[in-house]
Amino acid sequence: MRWRSRSRPRRRPRWRAYVDAALAALVLAGVAFVAAQLERHAGEDISGRMRVIDGDSLAFGERRLRLKGIDAPEFLQVCRKGSSEYPCGREAASHLRSLAEGEIDCRSEGSDRYRRTLVRCRSGAVDINRAMVRSGHAVAYGDYEMSEAEARAEGLGVWAGDFVRPGDWRAEHAQAEPWFFTDLVIEQLGAAWLSLRRWAGWSARPEAGRDL
């Protein structure tokens, strides 16, 4: 009877353990960095007089804010109503300017890849983001789909004629936005982090020296 020699299991090289440990440390550092960024930008109150840049962007001092969940025609974009064209981008900016007169209150929910703070803003009882979509001066961009459907059914704003959606217009004019899905992921991460903080009972800590 022959005895088969058992092969000894190979020992894992020690360097592999070091590599695994380094990779794990990098993953943890990445998670910590993302959490820190979301903590910085999610759930912050920003109040005061804002300057309108275009139909979905505001300026607060040197800080740039982007209305979350909406996409307005670009400032130079034109739309068509009947047989004539009109500056729907400028009209969107003008309408936002009328909604954001005086001091308004905004709440941050993360930031986009351009490092603009994503916000939902109110002027008194008016939800500015929703009002822009409901009036037809902006389209839904990951939120406010019901308001868009209502504006479309009533033929308000851009829905009164023919128009190219802002994202498509940017693509046609060498301002392509291939990162639409990435923006939505970033926005949703900010919203999820804010919900987690509220669920856990964590309070927002404003940064020292920041004038809100």
Side-chain angles (χ1 to χ4, degrees):
M1 186 175 183
R2 295 183 179 179
W3 296 93
R4 294 181 180 178
S5 59
R6 295 183 179 179
S7 59
R8 295 182 180 180
R10 294 182 179 180
R11 291 185 178 180
R12 195 179 189 189
R14 183 172 296 179
W15 64 268
R16 289 291 301 275
Y18 293 146
V19 170
D20 290 345
L23 289 175
L26 285 174
V27 170
L28 291 175
V31 171
F33 175 77
V34 171
Q37 293 302 309
L38 293 176
E39 172 70 21
R40 178 182 178 186
H41 294 292
E44 179 186 358
D45 291 320
I46 307 170
S47 300
R49 291 181 176 275
M50 313 282 178
R51 179 169 58 86
V52 172
I53 298 175
D54 56 29
D56 53 30
S57 303
L58 300 167
F60 184 58
E62 296 298 319
R63 193 171 182 180
R64 295 296 178 264
L65 312 177
R66 173 71 157 78
L67 297 181
K68 182 178 179 179
I70 78 171
D71 198 14
E74 294 299 313
F75 189 75
L76 296 179
Q77 185 173 347
V78 296
C79 301
R80 180 172 292 277
K81 188 182 299 182
S83 59
S84 60
E85 294 182 338
Y86 70 98
C88 54
R90 288 187 173 88
E91 284 194 4
S94 178
H95 189 69
L96 177 57
R97 195 171 292 112
S98 69
L99 292 172
E101 282 185 336
E103 294 190 358
I104 63 175
D105 301 311
C106 300
R107 183 78 168 173
S108 68
E109 294 188 13
S111 59
D112 64 11
R113 70 182 184 280
Y114 299 116
R115 297 187 177 181
R116 296 176 299 184
T117 304
L118 299 169
V119 293
R120 297 184 192 273
C121 299
R122 303 188 71 88
S123 177
V126 177
D127 181 332
I128 293 176
N129 301 43
R130 185 180 301 279
M132 287 295 296
V133 177
R134 185 64 182 83
S135 64
H137 289 95
V139 297
Y141 193 73
D143 203 348
Y144 306 109
E145 286 83 2
M146 184 63 71
S147 296
E148 178 184 292
E150 293 171 350
R152 180 189 301 182
E154 297 175 22
L156 300 177
V158 294
W159 302 107
D162 299 320
F163 75 101
V164 177
R165 281 188 173 265
D168 295 333
W169 189 91
R170 288 188 291 269
E172 293 175 2
H173 293 77
Q175 299 179 42
E177 275 208 6
W179 298 92
F180 171 75
F181 179 73
T182 303
D183 278 348
L184 291 182
V185 170
I186 294 173
E187 290 188 12
Q188 296 307 318
L189 281 174
W193 181 251
L194 179 60
S195 299
L196 176 62
R197 291 174 66 242
R198 289 173 176 169
W199 176 80
W202 299 340
S203 58
R205 297 180 180 179
E207 296 181 17
R210 177 166 288 177
D211 182 14
L212 296 180

PDB file of all heavy atoms in Angstrom, residues 53 75 144:
ATOM      1  N   ILE A  53     -27.287  84.108 -10.540  1.00  0.00           N
ATOM      2  CA  ILE A  53     -26.333  83.926 -11.640  1.00  0.00           C
ATOM      3  C   ILE A  53     -27.070  83.506 -12.900  1.00  0.00           C
ATOM      4  O   ILE A  53     -26.877  84.072 -13.972  1.00  0.00           O
ATOM      5  CB  ILE A  53     -25.269  82.882 -11.260  1.00  0.00           C
ATOM      6  CG1 ILE A  53     -24.478  83.368 -10.040  1.00  0.00           C
ATOM      7  CG2 ILE A  53     -24.338  82.613 -12.435  1.00  0.00           C
ATOM      8  CD1 ILE A  53     -23.490  82.363  -9.519  1.00  0.00           C
ATOM      9  N   PHE A  75     -28.234  80.467 -19.508  1.00  0.00           N
ATOM     10  CA  PHE A  75     -28.510  81.894 -19.637  1.00  0.00           C
ATOM     11  C   PHE A  75     -28.619  82.333 -21.094  1.00  0.00           C
ATOM     12  O   PHE A  75     -29.447  83.182 -21.437  1.00  0.00           O
ATOM     13  CB  PHE A  75     -27.426  82.707 -18.929  1.00  0.00           C
ATOM     14  CG  PHE A  75     -27.737  84.169 -18.813  1.00  0.00           C
ATOM     15  CD1 PHE A  75     -28.671  84.619 -17.892  1.00  0.00           C
ATOM     16  CD2 PHE A  75     -27.118  85.091 -19.634  1.00  0.00           C
ATOM     17  CE1 PHE A  75     -28.981  85.966 -17.794  1.00  0.00           C
ATOM     18  CE2 PHE A  75     -27.415  86.446 -19.543  1.00  0.00           C
ATOM     19  CZ  PHE A  75     -28.353  86.886 -18.615  1.00  0.00           C
ATOM     20  N   TYR A 144     -38.763  66.769  -8.034  1.00  0.00           N
ATOM     21  CA  TYR A 144     -39.850  67.644  -8.489  1.00  0.00           C
ATOM     22  C   TYR A 144     -40.499  67.169  -9.796  1.00  0.00           C
ATOM     23  O   TYR A 144     -40.988  67.980 -10.581  1.00  0.00           O
ATOM     24  CB  TYR A 144     -39.353  69.092  -8.643  1.00  0.00           C
ATOM     25  CG  TYR A 144     -38.694  69.644  -7.411  1.00  0.00           C
ATOM     26  CD1 TYR A 144     -37.316  69.864  -7.371  1.00  0.00           C
ATOM     27  CD2 TYR A 144     -39.440  69.923  -6.267  1.00  0.00           C
ATOM     28  CE1 TYR A 144     -36.700  70.355  -6.235  1.00  0.00           C
ATOM     29  CE2 TYR A 144     -38.825  70.413  -5.116  1.00  0.00           C
ATOM     30  CZ  TYR A 144     -37.449  70.626  -5.102  1.00  0.00           C
ATOM     31  OH  TYR A 144     -36.837  71.103  -3.977  1.00  0.00           O
TER      32      TYR A 144
END
